[in-house]
Amino acid sequence: MEGKIILITGSTDGIGKVTAKALAKQGHTIIVHGRNKEKAEVVCKEIKSETGNSRIDFIIADLFSLSDVKRMAIEFQEKYERLDVLINNAGAMFGKNRGITIDGYEKTIALNLLAPFLLIQLLLDTLAKSPSARIINITSAAHTMTGPLDLNDIQLENGYTFGKAYGQAKLYLIWITQHLAGKLKEKGLMHISSNSVHPGTVKTEFGQNENKGFWINLLLKLAMPFASTPEQGAETTIYLATSRDVENVTGAYFSNKKIAQPSKKYYSPENEKIIWDFCMETAKPYMDK
Ligand SMILES: NC(=O)c1ccc[n+]([C@@H]2O[C@H](COP(=O)([O-])OP(=O)(O)OC[C@H]3O[C@@H](n4cnc5c(N)ncnc54)[C@H](OP(=O)(O)O)[C@@H]3O)[C@@H](O)[C@H]2O)c1
């Protein structure tokens, strides 16, 4: 088998783009995902010319739309027989006013949780065809700073703040990552791992373009010079995607290339299952063949 087939969402910029480039350098087949075709084409060209690897492809989908996630999964499956590594990297924090997607979901939850959840479900059969597949979900240490949870109001119809929405979406992403690890074992899919990663505080476009109010906008700008480079931010994901050391590790949360302990503050198996069931409910209409 000639290298791995690796799909990286949100790899037209930031940490995802650097991850794509580094994995391309190692000789793998890379599928760059973005929402803007022109930008994706430029990124693919850049990766090809800088790495000498011609097996760089792209796929376009707006992850705010679950139908588009489904179309992207079908498009991938029409072209590729198997998937070895799925990196759910696309993510963002939004502004001070709560927004919703065309499907009616709160934007932060839709992009950081519902889109990756659906993509995993739709690509599970394709991942199962790999001799050893890895699912890597990019989360954030911001999950430790989120306020009290109300699992009757997962989409923050009441009391939305951008920080709460982001922290909670990333906390729920950690929970579904570990829940998935259990489900994969139950199904006998021991050759697919499911782990999450905190990339560190990284200097990218992340959080820079949305209006969060004057003081927060200023604080974010001032914090940037102290943040890590995208290359440093990509290290743990690259390690998880390729290292033999983590071949049999599943259900874990990683930071700095090591297993770390996610916040237990709001954790219970019951809460984890509520979030899993919520994601499954939203995904179901898109999962029929
Ligand atoms: N930077 C940090 O300090 C930090 C810290 C902790 C966790 N993280 C997490 O790390 C991941 C990568 O962040 P980053 O800093 O590299 O962010 P970034 O520079 O803003 O890049 C985000 C990527 O996601 C894509 N994207 C955003 N919304 C999308 C949508 N609706 N549909 C499709 N693609 C979409 C962007 O596409 P465009 O090119 O079209 O914009 C871009 O390729 C995210 O999950 C983030 O939450 C970042």
Side-chain angles (χ1 to χ4, degrees):
M1 203 176 282
E2 215 192 19
K4 294 174 187 276
I5 300 177
I6 304 179
L7 170 60
I8 309 165
T9 69
S11 44
T12 49
D13 221 323
I15 305 168
K17 179 176 161 184
V18 168
T19 306
K21 208 177 275 183
L23 292 170
K25 238 177 228 164
Q26 294 182 14
H28 304 292
T29 298
I30 306 297
I31 298 90
V32 167
H33 157 266
R35 56 184 158 175
N36 177 321
K37 187 164 180 264
E38 288 71 39
K39 193 169 175 180
E41 278 173 341
V42 170
V43 169
C44 281
K45 259 194 198 154
E46 183 185 318
I47 296 177
K48 280 181 192 169
S49 77
E50 283 185 27
T51 65
N53 182 344
S54 58
R55 292 190 310 281
I56 314 296
D57 198 357
F58 67 83
I59 197 159
I60 303 300
D62 180 356
L63 302 183
F64 280 145
S65 157
L66 294 178
S67 325
D68 223 25
V69 174
K70 178 168 183 169
R71 187 199 45 72
M72 165 183 172
I74 294 171
E75 210 176 287
F76 181 88
Q77 285 160 330
E78 282 168 356
K79 226 166 164 184
Y80 297 94
E81 286 229 326
R82 65 166 215 280
L83 176 59
D84 300 305
V85 184
L86 170 61
I87 303 176
N88 280 307
N89 164 79
M93 182 159 71
F94 297 99
K96 58 183 181 163
N97 297 317
R98 182 178 183 273
I100 57 168
T101 65
I102 50 164
D103 301 319
Y105 296 112
E106 190 282 313
K107 281 168 81 177
T108 329
I109 279 276
L111 178 63
N112 294 281
L113 181 71
L114 301 181
F117 183 90
L118 177 61
L119 193 59
I120 292 166
Q121 295 303 321
L122 295 172
L123 292 178
L124 217 44
D125 290 349
T126 321
L127 285 156
K129 288 183 188 152
S130 164
S132 174
R134 301 177 185 198
I135 298 167
I136 302 166
N137 293 327
I138 310 304
T139 179
S140 170
H143 81 273
T144 59
M145 294 172 236
T146 189
L149 304 188
D150 177 358
L151 295 182
N152 294 312
D153 183 21
I154 293 169
Q155 297 189 67
L156 294 173
E157 286 179 47
N158 301 302
Y160 168 92
T161 66
F162 63 85
K164 206 180 192 184
Y166 182 70
Q168 292 187 3
K170 292 300 197 188
L171 176 65
Y172 300 154
L173 185 62
I174 293 171
W175 289 357
I176 66 125
T177 306
Q178 54 199 36
H179 199 85
L180 176 67
K183 289 271 177 201
L184 292 169
K185 277 186 194 157
E186 267 171 40
K187 286 186 182 178
L189 295 170
M190 318 294 267
H191 65 301
I192 309 181
S193 66
S194 164
N195 292 296
S196 61
V197 172
H198 165 58
T201 302
V202 184
K203 191 177 179 182
T204 62
E205 285 306 306
F206 177 82
Q208 301 293 318
N209 301 324
E210 293 276 341
N211 180 17
K212 298 177 176 62
F214 177 78
W215 290 109
I216 307 266
N217 292 345
L218 184 67
L219 266 177
L220 279 170
K221 291 255 182 282
L222 291 174
M224 272 305 122
F226 304 100
S228 311
T229 63
E231 284 72 16
Q232 291 165 326
E235 279 175 8
T236 304
T237 304
I238 295 163
Y239 170 72
L240 261 183
T242 54
S243 172
R244 279 174 197 262
D245 299 353
V246 285
E247 186 100 53
N248 298 313
V249 179
T250 190
Y253 166 72
F254 280 78
S255 175
N256 285 322
K257 295 204 217 169
K258 289 195 180 73
I259 294 181
Q261 201 47 250
S263 167
K264 288 281 172 214
K265 198 166 175 194
Y266 301 108
Y267 182 76
S268 70
E270 294 75 26
N271 284 354
E272 183 182 284
K273 187 168 180 313
I274 289 171
I275 295 302
W276 179 269
D277 290 346
F278 163 72
C279 292
M280 197 49 101
E281 259 327 286
T282 64
K284 265 217 178 98
Y286 304 91
M287 284 169 62
D288 302 329
K289 296 276 170 196

